[in-house]
Amino acid sequence: MDRLHPVVAGLSTTSRASAIQGCETCVVRRWSLCRPLSHDELSELARVRTGTRVLGPGSSVIEGGEEADALFVIENGWAFSHAITADGRRQILEFHLPGDMLGIEAVGRVEAPHGVETITEVALCVLPRPRLETLMRREATLAFSFACVVSRDRAMLAERLASLGRRAASARVAHLLLELHARLMQRGMAEHDNCALPLKQAHIADAVGLTVEHTNRALAELRREGLATLRDGRLTLHDRRALIELSGWDDAYLKSARLP
Amino acid sequence: MDRLHPVVAGLSTTSRASAIQGCETCVVRRWSLCRPLSHDELSELARVRTGTRVLGPGSSVIEGGEEADALFVIENGWAFSHAITADGRRQILEFHLPGDMLGIEAVGRVEAPHGVETITEVALCVLPRPRLETLMRREATLAFSFACVVSRDRAMLAERLASLGRRAASARVAHLLLELHARLMQRGMAEHDNCALPLKQAHIADAVGLTVEHTNRALAELRREGLATLRDGRLTLHDRRALIELSGWDDAYLKSARLP
DNA sequence: CGACTTATTGACAACCGTCAAGACTCGTGG
DNA sequence: CCACGAGTCTTGACGGTTGTCAATAAGTCG
């Protein structure tokens, strides 16, 4: 896994000056922080952002433990945040899809506690942290909207935590697949029974706390039982009901409900 | 475990009308949401709160899945939030100490995704959600401060998640013990090598994703190796260095750093 | 073609869960 | 005062789930 420095990686296919473009027509606005903002607030936010940065697959967006000078909104592509344990093993905390924010765990602190890395090529809306925080201290709607985003994020982590703590291997994998599919559906990025899923088995393993080998066995079981197939970057859900039954899936935690 | 309805339980030792008392002298202010607020903002918040509610040990503060009409700040005592899996097993998500907020995961949504239950007797500062959210939409400092609180909370969940995913039983237990001790130290509720810890082994088991029996074995190992002792509601850390080594502990995620 | 990554499978061992039993504490009631 | 029962802690035996190690297959890119 090649870890390019964010700046270097960023420059490789670098920032188009789309800062000029307004936030109102942003394709991910509906799923992002910006949804509830008024016209005036949006134009203020548009002045905060410094443009779009495009990173290649497998590049580092935020280095864990280092100072994070910007927050990001994914305009396109997949990423994940992760912790590295003292003995070098990796735990994926969350997968990030278009409209998600990166770096929210750095707010209110100096260093980013966790690293963020791209999976596919990713286009990021760059929001320099000092300027964004200044604006949030002035615009209550933005700050509250931000709090709602973090709160939803927290709920997803809690759900994953319950999964790792109290479910067997195949149930954990099934739960993750259902979650990703549901989140893609919300964004119109999935059919009712299938979607593109650019994850390696190693990603899934690190997300659900299993080894790659055992994750493979769990996926094989799901396939053998006719529940779901993950192949060539595409997930197909053959028996949604059985997957839900197996994993104890409940989509309530994904419904961010009534943002202002 | 007797589950009294919060209102009923609340009435049993009921709300002293300490709403009159200002928030400025609040003992937990230094560790709570309120820390960065100005004099004027504090007095507005004081008008939001409806008083203090006292609950007995083992009573339910928030029912998972039900509508949450208030947020709370713990003034005194221990509580925990938890998820219940489909097959009835419990996963403790977080332990809550004086100054912590309860119900933050309900912000921006209608129902509380997870339940909250008291461990000891608990005194709660009650903040009705509609009034608090109205104030947050007006007062940017409060909303931003709230976002920082949620973000810190999220970091703690992420750390626990990495623990469950990538650490062995005794390391998970050691990590939890170190975290609780560190959080108590921040509040002046612990000595450098020991503290009161009113947890049953079942609480620890449900927090780190183990059975009670195996948690007991892990605790026995820590005791046998001379690392830590948990006995009669008191935790003693005999060899902090070895505990840190074993669990990969790093306290960076607890440092909420520079709130405004 | 050869190096590399990823997926897959098998054998075996370690870890952890399950089940069962006993010890200890504490409050209650006789 | 003691007996009793409930809740918690502790220990042992055993089995299942998962991790480890190793090898192979399949695909990708130079």
Side-chain angles (χ1 to χ4, degrees), chain A residues 89-91 104-105 108-109 114 136-137 140 144 151 153-154 158 165-166 205-206 210 252-253 256-258 260, chain B residues 89-91 104-105 108-109 114 133 136-137 140 144 151 153-154 158 165-166 205-206 210 252-253 256-257 260:
Chain A
R89 302 203 293 180
R90 181 176 74 173
Q91 174 66 43
I104 56 181
E105 63 271 345
R109 65 179 63 221
H114 304 115
M136 283 203 283
R137 284 185 186 132
F144 184 65
S151 170
D153 223 56
R154 182 187 182 280
R166 290 301 181 219
D206 285 344
L210 297 169
Y253 71 101
S256 59
R258 41 137 218 214
Chain B
R89 303 202 294 178
R90 181 175 75 172
Q91 174 66 43
I104 56 181
E105 62 271 343
R109 64 180 64 222
H114 305 115
E133 291 191 4
M136 282 203 285
R137 283 184 187 132
F144 184 65
S151 169
D153 223 56
R154 182 188 183 280
R166 290 300 181 218
D206 285 344
L210 297 170
Y253 71 101
S256 58

Side-chain angles (χ1 to χ4, degrees), chain B residues 7-16 52-57 121-122:
Chain B
V7 175
V8 177
L11 286 175
S12 64
T13 36
T14 192
S15 25
R16 309 173 310 220
T52 296
R53 183 191 292 172
V54 179
L55 301 178
E121 179 176 284
V122 167

Side-chain angles (χ1 to χ4, degrees), chain A residues 168-228:
Chain A
S170 53
R172 286 187 223 171
V173 173
H175 192 272
L176 176 64
L177 296 181
L178 283 170
E179 176 183 312
L180 291 172
H181 179 260
R183 289 171 64 197
L184 289 169
M185 280 293 275
Q186 285 183 335
R187 285 152 226 256
M189 293 169 68
E191 307 295 320
H192 79 286
D193 72 338
N194 74 89
C195 58
L197 206 75
L199 303 182
K200 312 290 181 197
Q201 294 189 0
H203 289 124
I204 299 177
D206 285 344
V208 298
L210 297 169
T211 57
V212 178
E213 295 90 333
H214 206 77
T215 302
N216 182 284
R217 285 187 259 263
L219 284 169
E221 186 187 328
L222 295 181
R223 197 185 319 133
R224 181 159 31 81
E225 304 290 333
L227 303 188

Side-chain angles (χ1 to χ4, degrees), chain B residues 136-153:
Chain B
M136 282 203 285
R137 283 184 187 132
R138 191 153 45 83
E139 290 292 342
T141 309
L142 178 65
F144 184 65
S145 171
F146 182 78
C148 293
V149 168
V150 184
S151 169
R152 178 170 177 280
D153 223 56

Side-chain angles (χ1 to χ4, degrees), chain B residues 27 54 58 91 97 102 122 144 150 157 171 193 214 222 232 236 238-239 255 260:
Chain B
V27 282
V54 179
Q91 174 66 43
L97 307 179
L102 308 180
V122 167
F144 184 65
V150 184
L157 275 185
D193 71 339
H214 206 78
L222 295 181
D232 299 330
T236 309
H238 298 113
D239 190 342
K255 295 183 176 145

Side-chain angles (χ1 to χ4, degrees), chain B residues 9-238:
Chain B
L11 286 175
S12 64
T13 36
T14 192
S15 25
R16 309 173 310 220
S18 52
I20 303 109
Q21 187 202 337
C23 294
E24 311 215 3
T25 58
C26 177
V27 282
V28 300
R29 184 182 162 198
R30 278 177 50 207
W31 312 294
S32 79
L33 173 79
C34 318
R35 193 175 72 174
L37 300 185
S38 71
H39 179 85
D40 289 352
E41 289 158 341
L42 263 189
S43 62
E44 287 215 69
L45 190 62
R47 280 200 295 278
V48 165
R49 76 185 286 258
T50 57
T52 296
R53 183 191 292 172
V54 179
L55 301 178
S59 44
S60 169
V61 181
I62 295 172
E63 285 286 342
E66 292 189 3
E67 192 162 343
D69 55 349
L71 298 192
F72 308 93
V73 177
I74 300 186
E75 294 177 355
N76 196 18
W78 288 58
F80 66 90
S81 53
H82 60 93
I84 306 288
T85 57
D87 58 343
R89 303 202 294 178
R90 181 175 75 172
Q91 174 66 43
I92 290 184
L93 303 168
E94 216 162 289
F95 293 105
H96 301 287
L97 307 179
D100 289 351
M101 289 199 80
L102 308 180
I104 56 181
E105 62 271 343
V107 165
R109 64 180 64 222
V110 183
E111 296 142 13
H114 305 115
V116 177
E117 202 173 302
T118 63
I119 296 173
T120 64
E121 179 176 284
V122 167
L124 297 172
C125 171
V126 182
L127 302 165
R129 205 158 60 124
R131 293 162 68 179
L132 182 63
E133 291 191 4
T134 302
L135 184 58
M136 282 203 285
R137 283 184 187 132
R138 191 153 45 83
E139 290 292 342
T141 309
L142 178 65
F144 184 65
S145 171
F146 182 78
C148 293
V149 168
V150 184
S151 169
R152 178 170 177 280
D153 223 56
R154 182 188 183 280
M156 287 178 50
L157 275 185
E159 203 65 28
R160 182 83 44 80
L161 183 63
S163 206
L164 293 221
R166 290 300 181 218
R167 281 198 265 263
S170 53
R172 288 187 222 172
V173 172
H175 192 272
L176 176 63
L177 296 180
L178 284 170
E179 175 183 313
L180 291 172
H181 179 259
R183 290 171 63 198
L184 289 168
M185 280 293 276
Q186 285 183 334
R187 293 163 165 78
M189 294 170 67
E191 305 296 319
H192 79 285
D193 71 339
N194 73 91
C195 57
L197 206 75
L199 304 182
K200 310 290 182 197
Q201 293 189 2
H203 289 124
I204 299 176
D206 285 344
V208 299
L210 297 170
T211 58
V212 178
E213 295 91 332
H214 206 78
T215 302
N216 181 283
R217 284 186 259 262
L219 283 169
E221 186 187 329
L222 295 181
R223 197 184 320 132
R224 183 159 30 82
E225 304 289 332
L227 302 189
T229 307
L230 177 59
R231 210 187 134 75
D232 299 330
R234 176 153 293 271
L235 169 68
T236 309
L237 306 178
H238 298 113

Side-chain angles (χ1 to χ4, degrees), chain A residues 68-203:
Chain A
D69 55 350
L71 298 192
F72 307 93
V73 177
I74 300 186
E75 295 177 356
N76 195 20
W78 287 58
F80 66 90
S81 53
H82 60 93
I84 306 288
T85 57
D87 58 343
R89 302 203 293 180
R90 181 176 74 173
Q91 174 66 43
I92 289 184
L93 304 168
E94 216 163 290
F95 292 106
H96 301 288
L97 307 180
D100 288 351
M101 288 198 80
L102 307 180
I104 56 181
E105 63 271 345
V107 165
R109 65 179 63 221
V110 183
E111 295 141 14
H114 304 115
V116 177
E117 203 173 303
T118 63
I119 296 173
T120 64
E121 180 176 282
V122 167
L124 297 172
C125 170
V126 182
L127 302 165
R129 205 158 62 126
R131 292 161 70 178
L132 182 64
E133 291 191 4
T134 302
L135 183 58
M136 283 203 283
R137 284 185 186 132
R138 191 152 44 82
E139 290 291 342
T141 310
L142 179 65
F144 184 65
S145 171
F146 182 78
C148 292
V149 168
V150 183
S151 170
R152 178 168 177 281
D153 223 56
R154 182 187 182 280
M156 287 178 49
L157 275 184
E159 202 65 28
R160 181 82 44 81
L161 183 62
S163 206
L164 293 223
R166 290 301 181 219
R167 282 198 264 263
S170 53
R172 286 187 223 171
V173 173
H175 192 272
L176 176 64
L177 296 181
L178 283 170
E179 176 183 312
L180 291 172
H181 179 260
R183 289 171 64 197
L184 289 169
M185 280 293 275
Q186 285 183 335
R187 285 152 226 256
M189 293 169 68
E191 307 295 320
H192 79 286
D193 72 338
N194 74 89
C195 58
L197 206 75
L199 303 182
K200 312 290 181 197
Q201 294 189 0
H203 289 124

Side-chain angles (χ1 to χ4, degrees), chain A residues 43-66:
Chain A
S43 63
E44 287 216 69
L45 190 61
R47 280 200 294 278
V48 165
R49 74 185 288 258
T50 56
T52 296
R53 182 191 294 173
V54 179
L55 300 178
S59 44
S60 168
V61 181
I62 296 172
E63 285 286 342
E66 293 190 2

